[in-house]
Structure formats: structure tokens, C-alpha cells
């Protein structure tokens, strides 16, 4: 082949390769989500919005389990053992300071296929905060989570105490869906495992999102209640899934 023909052939090959590379680059930027944070929009098929979701968005006997205020070295480990035994995936709403104290548990949560949720750095009530201050806190929390698990998807944000204020719009702009709940059994009061089981069985609803705790105190009663409720619900035809990703 002559030098001239060789150059023309090489150019014909390089052009489509360059175009393909640009396409992949554009897709990567688009997947990073609003604000360029790359917090979990990629691959989910839908962007976050400012609606506080409190259901699975699926018909029939579906329910989502969510756990707040961890990770906690004792109960989070026990809850992960339990969920793994029953092949249930859940959402863990992480308290940033607790992530700093237990980064290995965050790595385990992700490795075992569960989903992450930003629950602020120190369980702050942000109902009166400015959008700028909210964004700074949520960004700091995400950075701590990513120090433990680089590149992990953070799909949801849950406001402590359900005090939302301006947080839904900020969270959605950062690629995180605001996550509420349809059933809370007040397990933080530790009323006893039997009481928690009864509240869960009586209160579960189709498409519901259940608020529970694996951190913020002794959550042994919650672990005990979940261990009894999962097989009972399964026997009644319930399917465990995740919350919806948009309103």
C-alpha cells in the first residue's frame, strides 16, 4: 500500500472512532445528573424530581423496607445478616457522622446490593434552612459516603424528622429522590418486639414504604421484629422491592 492510500485508510477509520468516543463522553456527562454530582441517576431510567415519594409505585402486595440513622456497628450488621438470609434488598438512609465512624459497613451495604440514601451529616432539621445551606450539607454527606465507597450511587434523600422545608428541590437537583414513608412504627421508642411486629403487620399497605431504624440507639427490637415479619409477609404473598424513583 502506498503512503497516500495508507493515510486515507487510517483517516476513514479514525473518524467513526472519534465520533463514537464523543458519544460515550456525552452519555457519561448526561448520566452524572443535575449539578454534575453523579449521584445515582445513571442507569435508573428516570431522573429524580422534587416529589416526596412514599410508595413503591408498583401494583399489588409490594412493600419497601427503609432503615434510618445508621450505620451502627451492632444492629446494622445484624440487619444485613437478616436481609441477606431472606434475600431482601432495602434502602439505608445514612447519617454522615456515623458513616465516618463505620465506613466498612457502608461498603458492606453496597456490596450486598442495598441502596443508599442521604440522611444529612448529623440528623439536622433543615426545615428553615436556605437552599445554599441545604446543598452544602447534602454535598458534605455525599462526600463522606463516597470516601467510604467511591462512586457509589446515592439514589435518595430523606429529611430527618420529615421536616422537608426546601430540601426536596435541592435533593432532586443533586440527583436524589426525596424519600418519605407510608408507615412508621415508632421503633425509636423501643415499645417491645411483639408490639413492633403487630404494628408492622397491621399497618402494612400495598405499595407501602416502611420507616425503620438500624442506628441512633439500641435497635435490637427492630431487628427482632423484622426477622419475624419478613417470613410472615412472604407467606401472605407480599413481595419486597424498592421505593419509586420519581413522583
Amino acid at each position: 500500500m502506498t503512503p497516500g492510500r495508507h493515510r486515507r485508510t487510517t483517516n476513514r477509520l479514525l473518524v467513526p472512532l472519534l465520533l463514537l468516543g464523543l458519544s460515550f463522553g456525552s452519555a457519561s456527562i448526561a448520566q452524572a445528573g443535575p449539578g454534575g454530582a453523579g449521584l445515582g441517576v445513571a442507569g435508573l431510567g428516570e431522573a429524580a424530581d422534587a416529589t416526596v415519594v412514599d410508595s413503591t409505585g408498583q401494583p399489588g402486595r409490594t412493600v419497601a423496607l427503609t432503615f434510618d440513622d445508621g450505620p451502627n456497628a451492632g444492629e446494622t450488621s445484624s440487619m444485613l445478616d437478616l436481609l441477606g438470609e431472606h434475600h431482601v434488598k432495602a434502602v439505608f438512609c445514612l447519617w454522615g457522622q456515623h458513616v465516618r465512624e463505620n465506613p466498612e459497613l457502608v461498603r458492606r451495604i453496597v456490596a450486598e446490593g442495598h441502596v443508599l440514601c442521604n440522611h444529612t451529616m448529623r440528623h439536622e432539621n433543615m426545615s428553615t434552612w436556605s437552599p445554599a445551606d441545604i446543598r452544602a450539607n447534602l454535598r458534605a454527606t455525599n462526600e463522606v459516603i463516597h470516601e467510604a465507597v467511591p462512586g457509589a450511587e446515592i439514589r435518595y434523600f430523606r429529611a430527618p424528622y420529615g421536616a422537608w422545608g426546601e430540601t426536596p428541590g435541592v435533593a432532586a437537583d443533586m440527583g436524589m429522590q426525596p424519600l418519605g414513608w407510608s408507615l412508621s412504627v415508632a421503633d425509636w421508642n423501643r415499645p417491645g418486639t411483639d408490639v413492633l411486629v403487630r404494628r408492622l403487620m397491621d399497618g402494612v399497605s400495598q405499595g407501602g414504604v416502611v420507616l425503620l431504624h438500624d442506628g441512633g440507639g439500641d435497635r435490637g427490637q427492630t431487628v427482632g421484629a423484622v426477622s419475624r415479619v419478613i417470613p410472615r409477609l412472604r407467606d401472605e404473598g407480599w413481595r419486597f422491592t424498592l421505593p419509586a424513583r420519581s413522583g
Side-chain angles (χ1 to χ4, degrees):
M1 179 181 294
T2 66
R5 289 181 63 189
H6 177 75
R7 284 194 295 270
R8 287 194 297 271
T9 302
T10 301
N11 289 340
R12 284 198 300 269
L13 291 173
L14 283 175
V15 169
L17 287 174
L18 287 170
L19 291 174
L20 185 61
L22 288 172
S23 297
F24 281 139
S26 299
S28 299
I29 293 169
Q31 287 175 346
L39 300 176
V41 177
L44 294 178
E46 54 190 7
D49 62 37
T51 304
V52 179
V53 298
D54 59 5
S55 77
T56 66
Q58 301 178 36
R61 291 192 164 191
T62 63
V63 62
L65 300 182
T66 67
F67 299 96
D68 281 14
D69 297 352
N72 172 2
E75 283 74 21
T76 301
S77 295
S78 297
M79 193 65 74
L80 288 169
D81 290 342
L82 171 62
L83 296 173
E85 176 185 348
H86 291 284
H87 306 289
V88 171
K89 302 305 180 190
V91 177
F92 285 83
C93 300
L94 304 179
W95 184 331
Q97 187 59 42
H98 293 169
V99 170
R100 279 183 172 155
E101 296 164 0
N102 301 285
E104 72 288 346
L105 282 175
V106 184
R107 290 190 283 271
R108 183 180 171 192
I109 289 168
V110 173
E112 295 184 7
H114 302 287
V115 174
L116 302 183
C117 170
N118 182 318
H119 200 40
T120 75
M121 275 300 294
R122 295 176 179 81
H123 208 262
E124 293 94 339
N125 182 332
M126 297 183 173
S127 59
T128 61
W129 289 26
S130 70
D133 288 340
I134 292 167
R135 183 178 295 272
N137 186 290
L138 301 192
R139 182 182 294 116
T141 306
N142 285 343
E143 288 173 354
V144 170
I145 293 171
H146 284 144
E147 286 174 10
V149 189
E153 292 183 342
I154 306 172
R155 300 188 189 181
Y156 300 99
F157 164 75
R158 174 173 280 164
Y161 316 107
W164 292 100
E166 299 292 325
T167 62
V170 175
D173 187 57
M174 296 176 69
M176 297 179 289
Q177 184 66 42
L179 177 60
W181 59 88
S182 59
L183 174 62
S184 172
V185 295
D187 58 338
W188 59 84
N189 287 328
R190 298 193 291 276
T193 300
D194 289 342
V195 173
L196 292 177
V197 169
R198 184 170 65 251
R199 290 176 181 175
L200 285 165
M201 295 303 299
D202 291 347
V204 68
S205 59
Q206 293 189 12
V209 173
V210 181
L211 169 62
L212 296 161
H213 292 78
D214 65 313
D218 181 353
R219 304 305 180 203
Q221 292 180 8
T222 302
V223 175
V226 172
S227 71
R228 289 163 55 182
V229 165
I230 287 177
R232 287 179 60 178
L233 289 176
R234 278 246 173 88
D235 287 344
E236 294 183 6
W238 290 84
R239 180 169 61 88
F240 293 93
T241 184
L242 297 174
R245 261 287 295 182
S246 68

